[in-house]
Amino acid sequence: MSKAIPKKEVYGASKRSERDVQRTGCVPGFDGEEVPAERIVPDVKEYISETIDDPEAIYDPAIWDTSGFALVLSWLAQKWHQRCRKLAPRGSKNPQEYLTREQLKACLDSAAAELIREITQGRSLN
């Protein structure tokens, strides 16, 4: 008998957790306790910033096992890539190839500020 979790259960669990985040504005923190999602954004921003400086950097898998960190990382990475695409040449598949570290970090700063604003506004609307 397989111990694999059916895809629909995984998908349903991720949708439930996103709905919970939208409702409460909180995600599981590094210690397992619920924390406001905007408090994790600086840690995620620092992680992405370090990968800009050193793409070969190795990180503690315990951080990646934190679902709140992974969720916020996903959100911030999406926003960051959107910002980078606006600065890169049209149609480029990998905008990071065309941008300087300073431009990448400026996009990251802007994306992090927008994400924090969206999280706090979303919570205040609920």
Side-chain angles (χ1 to χ4, degrees), residues 90-107:
R90 208 172 169 92
S92 61
K93 296 204 186 288
N94 188 3
Q96 288 81 355
E97 290 178 5
Y98 301 97
L99 303 178
T100 65
R101 282 189 172 140
E102 291 76 22
Q103 289 173 313
L104 291 171
K105 288 187 178 191
C107 290

Side-chain angles (χ1 to χ4, degrees), residues 80-98:
W80 177 51
H81 286 287
Q82 289 169 352
R83 295 258 188 301
C84 290
R85 276 195 297 270
K86 289 179 183 177
L87 293 178
R90 208 172 169 92
S92 61
K93 296 204 186 288
N94 188 3
Q96 288 81 355
E97 290 178 5
Y98 301 97

Side-chain angles (χ1 to χ4, degrees), residues 1-111:
M1 185 166 186
S2 174
K3 292 186 179 186
I5 299 171
K7 285 183 183 179
K8 69 180 185 179
E9 284 185 33
V10 172
Y11 177 75
S14 69
K15 293 305 271 181
R16 278 192 303 274
S17 66
E18 283 191 41
R19 278 190 296 241
D20 290 343
V21 171
Q22 289 172 348
R23 185 176 44 77
T24 65
C26 293
V27 296
F30 297 110
D31 59 1
E33 295 290 321
E34 292 287 308
V35 297
E38 68 269 16
R39 285 190 22 208
I40 294 182
V41 173
D43 294 325
V44 171
K45 180 181 163 193
E46 181 180 342
Y47 167 79
I48 294 173
S49 182
E50 289 175 8
T51 64
I52 291 170
D53 292 333
D54 181 9
E56 301 298 318
I58 298 174
Y59 293 90
D60 184 355
I63 293 172
W64 279 95
D65 290 342
T66 305
S67 60
F69 183 88
L71 184 60
V72 174
L73 176 64
S74 173
W75 292 341
L76 185 54
Q78 288 175 24
K79 289 194 172 302
W80 177 51
H81 286 287
Q82 289 169 352
R83 295 258 188 301
C84 290
R85 276 195 297 270
K86 289 179 183 177
L87 293 178
R90 208 172 169 92
S92 61
K93 296 204 186 288
N94 188 3
Q96 288 81 355
E97 290 178 5
Y98 301 97
L99 303 178
T100 65
R101 282 189 172 140
E102 291 76 22
Q103 289 173 313
L104 291 171
K105 288 187 178 191
C107 290
L108 181 59
D109 290 342
S110 174

